[in-house]
Amino acid sequence: MLELLVAATGAFDVETATRAYLDTLQGPARAKSDAYFEGGYWLLLWGTLVGVLVDWLLLRFRIASAIRGFAERVSKRAWIVTAITAFAYTLIGSIVTLPWTIYTGYVREKRYDLLDQDFGAWAGEQAIGLAMALVLVPLVVAAIYAVIRRAPRSWWLWGTGVIGLFMLVGMVLGPVFIAPLFNEYTELEAGPLRDRIEAVAAKHDIPAEHIYVFDQSKQNKRISANVSGLGPTIRISLNDNLLERTGEDEILAVMGHEMGHYKLNHIWWIVGIMLGLFALGLFVTSRVAPVLIRRFGERWGVREVGDPASLPVLAICLGLWMLAMTPAQNSLIRWAESEADAFGLDAAREPDGFAKVAMRLSEYRKIEPGALEEMLFFDHPSGATRVRMAMQWKADNLADPQMVVPDEGYLESE
Ligand SMILES: [Zn+2]
């Protein structure tokens, strides 16, 4: 990675320095990045519509009520009937939407050169995900319907509690039992890089034994890192792509960002956002679903909301709600991400490393969206926003900031 240091003529200008970075992504590379990300907006809409269509078919052809009828012949216990119905619902839904899953998760990713697995390996991971869903969805659904039957008016509130409980348990256990099913997690190797990361971590009281590396290169080339777990299992993980493909300044900048999530307790913020959206969504569902069932229930073979055959009705209501809430959800999460960015710039003091990494994320995220577009569709600040923030940090925090013009080819370098 070559860099050309340009001696600042006069004062360091934030906009000029930002533009120098943004201009390193041009032509076909920028068009490809925009096309991939903008396509995602439509996938969001179509994905919800595919789900709604499948749910509607399950109602229209009385498949949901047939499944519940079968379950009632297996057991007299309401929770077992619900769990069997939810199991079959999940299985049938996954099979019917398989072409959509293959297109969005495999074909399209391959087309944009963002997936390095062959079909067998990819499908194997999908199968693990389905197996987990077939265990978890019946449990969650059985718990929610138990609440619906006991509290027909206020079940949305108790249902949110049920979801929250499963979410918390899943977050504590996730890094220990789920993540290793897909990737191998190892300690970050000793050496100068680890020393530098530990030095930053120590300054913020983050135990360095909580830093892991995982082998995401077996799935794709994307560089990423994350904070996962809760309580005793909380940890920062960075992937091998970040280690292999970027420079030490970039790795440190990313780790600063993740330390921000860790120190600022963003996991709780995310849990709060999600539960708030679920609470509102279940409330709306608890008011709309009975109206739909009164109107169409006889035709669908659905008796009432507490009848597990109503599962597709609840799924339609909640699915449309979550789609409508996407901009709010994105903006609330983006706010936390922006906080982590600010923390990371202060902690790592690598504004140019941060700017370079922000540019690299253009592999899968549009670099320079309009303001409204960023508000609606971005759950992280855009590359342009991040580069500008880094350059502003430089102007505010360095005694003699110099403009760095990254070498043209650095975005393609491995
Ligand atoms: Zn983040």
Side-chain angles (χ1 to χ4, degrees):
M1 247 181 304
L2 290 170
E3 274 161 19
L4 180 64
L5 276 169
V6 179
T9 47
F12 173 80
D13 179 57
V14 173
E15 266 321 303
T16 311
T18 303
R19 190 44 59 191
Y21 273 103
L22 295 180
D23 283 349
T24 58
L25 185 69
Q26 303 265 21
R30 186 181 273 237
K32 185 180 167 193
S33 162
D34 288 356
Y36 175 73
F37 198 78
E38 287 165 12
Y41 309 160
W42 291 101
L43 294 189
L44 204 64
L45 176 66
W46 288 116
T48 302
L49 293 182
V50 166
V52 168
L53 176 68
V54 172
D55 283 323
W56 180 77
L57 290 172
L58 292 177
L59 293 169
R60 167 70 182 73
F61 295 101
R62 300 173 75 100
I63 299 167
S65 79
I67 296 167
R68 184 256 293 120
F70 165 80
E72 281 179 341
R73 286 192 292 280
V74 174
S75 174
K76 292 270 169 289
R77 289 174 197 276
W79 73 269
I80 295 181
V81 172
T82 308
I84 293 174
T85 308
F87 181 92
Y89 170 82
T90 307
L91 188 61
I92 293 170
S94 303
I95 293 169
V96 175
T97 55
L98 195 59
W100 175 257
T101 309
I102 292 173
Y103 169 70
T104 56
Y106 184 79
V107 176
R108 184 168 183 269
E109 294 294 300
K110 279 281 192 199
R111 191 175 294 162
Y112 282 97
D113 198 22
L114 289 170
L115 184 70
D116 292 327
Q117 285 176 303
D118 59 27
F119 186 76
W122 177 83
E125 288 186 357
Q126 298 299 309
I128 297 174
L130 175 61
M132 285 193 302
L134 288 173
V135 174
L136 288 172
V137 173
L139 287 175
V140 176
V141 170
I144 289 178
Y145 274 84
V147 170
I148 291 178
R149 285 189 287 268
R150 276 168 192 74
R153 288 292 290 172
S154 60
W155 67 264
W156 60 275
L157 193 57
W158 304 104
T160 304
V162 167
I163 292 173
L165 208 64
F166 275 93
M167 215 188 238
L168 292 182
V169 173
M171 286 167 71
V172 174
L173 300 182
V176 184
F177 293 106
I178 298 172
L181 296 176
F182 299 94
N183 289 96
E184 194 182 330
Y185 286 74
T186 50
E187 281 247 354
L188 178 60
E189 265 175 47
L193 174 67
R194 185 176 171 124
D195 293 342
R196 285 189 71 189
I197 293 175
E198 278 186 14
V200 178
K203 222 165 60 187
H204 298 281
D205 301 317
I206 299 171
E209 66 264 29
H210 290 183
I211 299 174
Y212 291 82
V213 180
F214 62 108
D215 59 344
Q216 194 164 23
S217 61
K218 76 178 203 191
Q219 282 114 351
N220 55 54
K221 291 196 291 287
R222 296 179 187 214
I223 50 177
S224 82
N226 62 69
V227 175
S228 64
L230 201 60
T233 64
I234 190 161
R235 68 204 48 207
I236 295 176
S237 307
L238 60 151
N239 74 10
D240 55 351
N241 295 326
L242 180 65
L243 285 179
E244 301 295 326
R245 296 182 55 204
T246 75
E248 212 168 285
D249 55 343
E250 296 173 72
I251 298 170
L252 226 60
V254 172
M255 293 312 277
H257 171 95
E258 299 304 334
M259 287 177 202
H261 283 314
Y262 188 109
K263 280 308 279 186
L264 301 169
N265 291 314
H266 282 160
I267 290 218
W268 290 107
W269 170 246
I270 307 280
V271 169
I273 292 168
M274 292 316 294
L275 286 184
L277 291 175
F278 271 124
L280 290 170
L282 291 181
F283 173 75
V284 171
T285 302
S286 75
R287 296 304 181 261
V288 173
V291 176
L292 290 172
I293 291 170
R294 265 199 299 279
R295 177 95 170 72
F296 303 105
E298 214 163 309
R299 197 181 304 171
W300 294 337
V302 177
R303 300 166 194 146
E304 55 183 348
V305 181
D307 171 7
S310 71
L311 192 49
V313 183
L314 304 195
I316 289 172
C317 295
L318 198 59
L320 291 175
W321 170 263
M322 292 314 274
L323 178 68
M325 286 300 106
T326 305
Q329 182 182 331
N330 283 342
S331 291
L332 290 165
I333 292 176
R334 198 177 58 250
W335 183 75
E337 292 295 339
S338 184
E339 258 197 351
D341 284 351
F343 182 101
L345 283 166
D346 285 335
R349 303 187 68 84
E350 292 284 1
D352 288 291
F354 186 73
K356 273 185 279 181
V357 119
M359 291 303 299
R360 281 186 205 281
L361 299 185
S362 64
E363 276 177 1
Y364 56 86
R365 191 178 293 135
K366 185 175 182 176
I367 203 77
E368 207 175 355
L372 181 66
E373 187 180 13
E374 184 159 350
M375 201 267 278
L376 293 176
F377 294 115
F378 280 63
D379 62 0
H380 284 68
S382 69
T385 301
R386 287 178 140 173
V387 172
R388 194 165 287 119
M389 186 192 242
M391 295 306 108
Q392 187 64 53
W393 186 92
K394 251 171 108 166
D396 295 344
N397 291 278
L398 298 186
D400 182 24
Q402 299 293 310
M403 193 168 114
V404 173
V405 180
D407 174 65
E408 285 285 331
Y410 83 101
L411 283 176
E412 284 104 65
S413 67
E414 290 294 305

